[in-house]
Amino acid sequence: MEIVTITEARRRLDGALPSYEAKIEYVTPNQALGRITARDITAACDYPPYRKSPFDGYAIHSHDGNAYEVVATIGAGIVYDGPVAAGQAVRLMTGCAVPDDCDTVVPQEYVERQGNHIRVTESIPPGSNIIPKGEECRSGAVIIPAGTKLTAGALSVAVGLGNERLPVYAKAKVLFLTSGRELVLPGEVRHHGQIYNSNAYLFQPLLEQYGAEVTFYHVSDGPDQLADEMAAVRRLARDKDLIVSTGGVSVGLYDTMPQIYQSLGAVQLYDRITMRPGSASYGGVIETDGRRTLILGLSGNPSASFNAFHLLAVPILRRLNGERNSEFPVVTCHLGEAIYKKNPVDRFVQGRLTYEQGQPIFTPNTTLTSSALLGLAHTNALAYIKKGTPPLPKGAPIEVIFL
């Protein structure tokens, strides 16, 4: 058994992808949310693409007087391209294109109207209240740099500047495996001694949240099914960048995942980590025809696998998907409740980071065992407690990884 620290495990996994370059594809804006831009996205047009009115009012061809004849009324999306002479005005709505002959927009609140004639009641300097063409950017300007995660706001900018296809890194292809005859899915009959497969509904969404294209398969770990399941995993793993599994990596009689990985030709990187919870772990790599597939075998216990997933899998997924920063932010907090655990190895405690009177507070979950489940519903941070640290009282300072 090769036991390593979490730092060494990460170093070995990082080394397994020394020169990985994510593939680039062009997708529609509807497919791009959360993806990472592979190239700079530029403006396809000026923005705004025409002179426009910032509010409802009257576009005028200004002159020395304050009386104007209204020659047209237009709404947004309608263009008035007729002449507008001195002493004439066009009624327009917010966002309308200002007619070429007009040099000023008068807010409707500054106007008295009778029939087709208006009188301006306030002093408006010529040239006022017109948003110029290209005020925010010109065609060809970089609006979203390469390496940017496409949020809803970024997509709005890309579409608003005329982009129909967006260059993004291809999603990492991940095979996600759960393991164990004790697991049943919702809707299946649960017999005594069995539990629902909560990991399937924890990690497939998390993998997708971090940009993966996920294939799911369940391994029973039954000896009479092992050969068939090895063949199934081998077939499903062929084009994958990463394999993530939960369960079957400890020292039990039916912990078969390392055996399955060995059958795939995996080279073991480690098979245990000095941390709690999450020490039961397997790292490996398969190299076939120049293609490398990383393997992360995680504990079957929900809390343990949750920790290892965020500490090991998320940085890899971010690299595979082209993100430049693969790390979570670290915040120095004060403990909202004491942590009485002894720490013979590095410990990562699940809990919630909140702010009270402007100060960050970390409140640990009530149950801190590796098999704890309920706390995952509100966990948003992991407190890092170094090996050898004594139990910590309420109010003690602590470093927290904000998820």
Side-chain angles (χ1 to χ4, degrees):
M1 180 176 292
E2 187 169 10
I3 305 174
V4 299
T5 65
I6 185 69
T7 301
E8 177 62 15
R10 291 187 57 170
R11 188 192 69 78
R12 294 184 184 190
L13 291 166
D14 287 344
L17 289 175
S19 59
Y20 182 86
E21 291 186 7
K23 300 180 183 68
I24 297 173
E25 61 185 11
Y26 282 79
V27 300
T28 66
N30 289 339
Q31 302 168 306
L33 183 64
R35 306 287 288 275
I36 307 299
T37 54
R39 297 191 174 100
D40 291 344
I41 296 176
T42 59
C45 59
D46 295 341
Y47 193 81
Y50 50 81
R51 298 188 312 147
K52 69 177 185 178
S53 174
F55 37 62
D56 294 353
Y58 293 84
I60 61 174
H61 184 135
S62 61
H63 68 302
D64 291 339
N66 64 352
Y68 296 86
E69 177 191 7
V70 179
V71 297
T73 298
I74 60 173
I78 306 300
V79 175
Y80 179 76
D81 53 10
V84 182
Q88 293 183 329
V90 173
R91 175 80 167 98
L92 42 68
M93 311 303 156
T94 302
C96 278
V98 177
D100 291 342
D101 290 339
C102 297
D103 60 11
T104 305
V105 172
V106 180
Q108 64 178 5
E109 295 83 0
Y110 294 176
V111 166
E112 292 179 351
R113 180 166 179 169
Q114 291 186 339
N116 286 336
H117 291 83
I118 60 170
R119 184 174 69 85
V120 179
T121 59
E122 303 286 341
S123 176
I124 304 293
S128 297
N129 303 324
I130 294 179
I131 300 173
K133 178 181 178 181
E135 178 188 54
E136 286 200 64
C137 72
R138 292 291 185 180
S139 177
V142 174
I143 52 174
I144 303 174
T148 300
K149 189 168 188 175
L150 288 170
T151 61
L155 287 175
S156 173
V157 170
V159 171
L161 272 296
N163 290 278
E164 299 175 4
R165 309 281 294 182
L166 305 177
V168 297
Y169 289 109
K171 290 186 175 185
K173 293 184 178 181
V174 177
L175 174 59
F176 170 49
L177 307 171
T178 55
S179 170
R181 283 172 289 181
E182 76 278 15
L183 301 178
V184 297
L185 292 171
E188 296 178 347
V189 177
R190 183 182 66 82
H191 299 290
H192 184 64
Q194 291 184 311
I195 58 175
Y196 290 112
N197 192 349
S198 60
N199 281 351
Y201 290 85
L202 173 60
F203 293 109
Q204 182 159 346
L206 276 171
L207 287 163
E208 292 172 348
Q209 175 183 323
Y210 286 103
E213 179 183 309
V214 183
T215 300
F216 172 71
Y217 181 73
H218 180 70
V219 176
S220 71
D221 74 21
D224 57 338
Q225 299 178 10
L226 183 58
D228 289 341
E229 290 176 343
M230 281 181 176
V233 172
R234 185 179 298 109
R235 173 176 52 82
L236 294 172
R238 282 176 188 155
D239 64 341
K240 300 303 186 288
D241 301 300
L242 175 66
I243 301 173
V244 176
S245 64
T246 63
V249 293
S250 191
V251 293
L253 293 176
Y254 302 108
D255 288 330
T256 59
M257 292 312 302
Q259 189 176 348
I260 290 176
Y261 293 142
Q262 185 178 5
S263 76
L264 301 181
V267 175
Q268 179 180 298
L269 300 175
Y270 57 84
D271 63 355
R272 201 163 186 83
I273 297 176
T274 56
M275 71 174 188
R276 289 183 181 173
S279 60
S281 191
Y282 173 95
V285 60
I286 303 168
E287 188 157 8
T288 307
D289 299 327
R291 181 187 184 92
R292 287 185 176 182
T293 301
L294 280 181
I295 301 171
L296 289 174
L298 310 180
S299 168
N301 286 318
S303 285
S305 53
F306 180 89
N307 285 9
F309 178 87
H310 285 89
L311 296 171
L312 297 172
V314 171
I316 292 170
L317 287 167
R318 285 174 166 167
R319 282 187 58 191
L320 289 173
N321 287 324
E323 290 192 56
R324 293 177 177 174
N325 183 7
S326 62
E327 302 300 326
F328 291 107
V330 175
V331 181
T332 300
C333 302
H334 290 282
L335 276 175
E337 299 291 341
I339 298 176
Y340 294 110
K341 290 279 189 179
K342 294 181 180 179
N343 304 291
V345 296
D346 289 348
R347 184 180 296 278
F348 295 88
V349 175
Q350 295 170 8
R352 186 156 188 84
L353 172 63
T354 58
Y355 281 82
E356 298 178 12
Q357 298 180 339
Q359 298 300 312
I361 302 295
F362 176 78
T363 304
N365 290 349
T366 303
T367 305
L368 300 181
T369 61
S370 63
S371 61
L373 177 62
L374 299 187
L376 297 179
H378 57 257
T379 295
N380 70 356
L382 300 177
Y384 171 51
I385 304 177
K386 294 180 67 173
K387 173 183 177 180
T389 302
L392 296 170
K394 179 178 180 178
I398 195 166
E399 285 194 345
V400 168
I401 302 168
F402 185 41
L403 306 180

